[in-house]
Structures are given as structure tokens and as C-alpha cells.
């Protein structure tokens, strides 16, 4: 007998019995469907859709028009940090 890998796993343990044939599966009764009243309706406020759309549009505009961007004159701090980290690791 096999033991499930985790006590909360929902997968049944494998058994030594052979798998049921397709004829046995088709003879099982169909599971009843839930009525529509059991569904949960999710409604979003207008700003939950509008704010991500506006943020996406703003970021897209910044990417599409980099003409006004100025190059930095000093070394970026992130570059210095990576350079020092690589230097320390190579010792």
C-alpha cells in the first residue's frame, strides 16, 4: 500500500487494483449539476478596471517616446553595487 506524499494531498493513494474499463465508467450515473443560484457573482468597481488600464497606458507611452530622456552623467548606483559584489565574489 502506498502512502500519500503529504497528509493534506487530495490525490487518492494508488492501489494494486486495475483501472476500471470504459464500459464501467459509462454505466455510472452523471453527477447532478448545481443550480444557477449557487454561483457567486463577482462585481468589480469601475476603478478596479480603469486604474490598471491607465497605468498600462502611461507606461506604454513612456516606453514609446524615450526621446526626451537624458543619459546619466555619473555611474549608476546599481552598476557600482553589482561591480563591487562581483569583485568580492571573485576573491
Amino acid at each position: 500500500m502506498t502512502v500519500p506524499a503529504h497528509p493534506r494531498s487530495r490525490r487518492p493513494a494508488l492501489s494494486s487494483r486495475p483501472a476500471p474499463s470504459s464500459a464501467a465508467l459509462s454505466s455510472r450515473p452523471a453527477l447532478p449539476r448545481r443550480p444557477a443560484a449557487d454561483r457567486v457573482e463577482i462585481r468589480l468597481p469601475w476603478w478596479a478596471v480603469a486604474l490598471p488600464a491607465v497605468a498600462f497606458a502611461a507606461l506604454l507611452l513612456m516606453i514609446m517616446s524615450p526621446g526626451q530622456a537624458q543619459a546619466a552623467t555619473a555611474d549608476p548606483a546599481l552598476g557600482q553595487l553589482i561591480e563591487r559584489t562581483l569583485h568580492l565574489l571573485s576573491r
Side-chain angles (χ1 to χ4, degrees):
M1 179 174 177
T2 59
V3 178
H6 191 272
R8 291 185 184 173
S9 67
R10 296 174 190 242
R11 194 179 308 171
L14 298 174
S15 65
S16 60
R17 291 184 286 158
S21 66
S22 61
L25 289 175
S26 64
S27 66
R28 290 183 183 172
L31 295 175
R33 293 185 180 244
R34 291 189 208 169
D38 287 349
R39 286 196 222 165
V40 176
E41 185 175 330
I42 299 174
R43 298 189 62 175
L44 293 174
W46 66 269
W47 50 266
V49 176
L51 287 179
V54 169
F56 176 77
L59 290 173
L60 187 63
L61 283 174
M62 285 194 285
I63 291 172
M64 297 303 288
S65 60
Q68 297 176 358
Q70 299 292 326
T73 57
D75 290 334
L78 182 61
Q80 289 178 356
L81 177 66
I82 293 172
E83 186 178 327
R84 288 182 185 176
T85 304
L86 289 174
H87 180 68
L88 288 173
L89 291 174
S90 65
R91 286 186 183 184

